[in-house]
Amino acid sequence: SKVTVVGAGNVGATCANVLVANNVADEVVLIDIKEGLAEGKTMDIMQTANLLNINTRMTGVTNDYSKTEGSDVVVITSGIPRKPGMTREELIGVNAGIVKSVTDNVLKHSPNAIIICVSNPMDTMTYLIHKTSGLPKNRIIGMGGALDSSRFKYFLSVALNANPNEVDGMVIGGHGDTTMIPLTRYATYRGIPVSELLDKATLDKVAADTMVGGATLTGLLGTSAWYAPGAASAAVVAAVLHDQKRVIPCSALVEGEYGENDICIGVPCLLGRNGIEKIVDVKLNDAEKELFAKSAAAVRNTNGALAS
Ligand code: NAI
């Protein structure tokens, strides 16, 4: 199996590192437009091969898409990240051009690949790929909910003073500070609803911290985060490549699901070798439905900027 990661910056290189360190694929290609960057990151990562017992082959290339030939999965992380104080939506002008040209290049050499879009504003970039590539909708996956859900589970685990691995929870809706929807009502710790373990004020704080989770890190780091984004991207790759049939919230083209149409937005997706094999219908109450409709309206509004 072969995975290409486009963009050897913070998120792309971390994703490639997690893929390689966990032997997720036989071969990983890292590609970037910046001369030498992917080659350098590849050399650094492969110099851990002996230390980490890595069996994956990894190649780094500068903009030579022939090396990506026949990839099963392609992760697109190319584009500018946000700086402190910026929203993801502000990145659209620069990143739309990058994502469009990268997708064209990728598909020339890997016409059967499943595409995982990470570049922001992610829901809109995923929609752009739908509109311009002609690929069936199951083969285009937006990575956002995997990260936001992992952040949600982290903040819940801190509030519970528990191991994050024993916490379950999902974040759906748009991948934006004000558009994502942590589904607190469905979150559990060892199968027990967290609403039975934490008071409402604490749960509200966890949800609020989750929503600005990325912005908090951007403030602390001076640029956008990478460890969790890279690992979340790698988790989506593994779910597809290994046909895991895991349900992970991803940005998918909705055609009536959750009452919406003609946008890509975070919904629980059953992931397997065919990409998004099913959108899972989690029952929302009226308040959650209202949040989802608002989130969809915001995503649709950002999509509107693609035309201009
Ligand atoms: P970065 O600046 O560290 O890396 C981006 C890389 O893309 C750079 O190395 C740059 O040379 C490369 N690049 C630019 N144009 C290219 C092209 N045409 N072809 C190939 N490579 C190209 O940025 P970082 O932190 O890795 O973030 C990447 C993107 O991912 C940003 O748009 C960021 O907002 C987004 N992101 C999305 C997340 C999500 O949950 N969906 C989470 C974190 C970041």
Side-chain angles (χ1 to χ4, degrees):
S1 59
K2 180 168 175 177
V3 178
T4 288
V5 180
V6 185
N10 286 334
V11 176
T14 306
C15 173
N17 187 40
V18 172
L19 290 173
V20 165
N22 292 309
N23 295 309
V24 170
D26 299 320
E27 189 181 354
V28 171
V29 176
L30 184 62
I31 182 166
D32 200 287
I33 200 169
K34 191 169 169 209
E35 188 72 42
L37 181 68
E39 289 87 337
K41 292 280 177 88
T42 298
M43 206 182 277
D44 192 12
I45 289 170
M46 285 314 282
Q47 288 170 358
T48 70
N50 269 285
L51 305 166
L52 301 178
N53 203 12
I54 288 169
N55 299 309
T56 303
R57 255 176 309 137
M58 184 172 173
T59 316
V61 288
T62 304
N63 231 19
D64 176 4
Y65 282 85
S66 69
K67 297 291 193 316
T68 69
E69 190 82 40
S71 295
D72 299 293
V73 178
V74 176
V75 186
I76 299 179
T77 77
S78 45
I80 53 167
R82 55 180 170 160
K83 295 286 172 211
M86 285 176 85
T87 66
R88 295 174 179 91
E89 289 73 17
E90 289 174 69
L91 307 171
I92 189 170
V94 178
N95 286 356
I98 294 174
V99 169
K100 166 86 180 66
S101 76
V102 162
T103 308
D104 289 348
N105 283 325
V106 159
L107 289 174
K108 259 178 229 156
H109 297 275
S110 304
N112 299 315
I114 289 182
I115 309 285
I116 299 172
C117 176
V118 180
S119 310
N120 273 319
M122 184 278 294
D123 297 297
T124 296
M125 294 302 108
T126 307
Y127 182 74
L128 171 70
I129 297 173
H130 270 290
K131 284 289 163 199
T132 57
S133 72
L135 290 180
K137 60 178 180 172
N138 58 297
R139 281 175 49 199
I140 306 172
I141 307 173
M143 196 296 291
L147 169 64
D148 301 329
S149 301
S150 193
R151 287 180 171 152
F152 183 40
K153 288 179 259 194
Y154 163 77
F155 285 117
L156 280 170
S157 75
V158 173
L160 289 159
N161 193 20
N163 178 341
N165 276 316
E166 295 184 321
V167 178
D168 215 350
M170 247 188 322
V171 176
I172 61 169
H175 177 63
D177 294 349
T178 57
T179 59
M180 68 179 79
I181 307 164
L183 287 179
T184 306
R185 204 164 57 88
Y186 281 112
T188 57
Y189 168 64
R190 291 185 166 185
I192 305 163
V194 295
S195 54
E196 291 178 19
L197 303 168
L198 297 169
D199 60 35
K200 185 170 182 308
T202 306
L203 286 171
D204 287 350
K205 169 103 173 42
V206 164
D209 286 347
T210 301
M211 293 174 76
V212 296
T216 299
L217 287 172
T218 302
L220 290 168
L221 301 169
T223 187
S224 178
W226 56 89
Y227 291 114
S233 304
V236 174
V237 172
V240 171
L241 211 54
H242 298 171
D243 198 29
Q244 287 174 343
K245 313 289 189 198
R246 280 180 71 192
V247 176
I248 300 179
C250 295
S251 191
L253 186 76
V254 282
E255 291 177 313
E257 295 92 346
Y258 292 85
E260 297 297 335
N261 270 292
D262 198 34
I263 50 168
C264 291
I265 188 164
V267 286
C269 294
L270 182 80
L271 298 182
R273 193 58 193 82
N274 294 315
I276 298 176
E277 299 191 347
K278 189 179 170 6
I279 293 176
V280 178
D281 187 25
V282 171
K283 295 285 169 244
L284 302 185
N285 64 22
D286 286 348
E288 291 156 349
K289 277 185 192 157
E290 198 184 316
L291 287 174
F292 197 89
K294 268 194 197 149
S295 185
V299 169
R300 190 168 281 117
N301 185 47
T302 306
N303 290 352
L306 284 176
S308 54

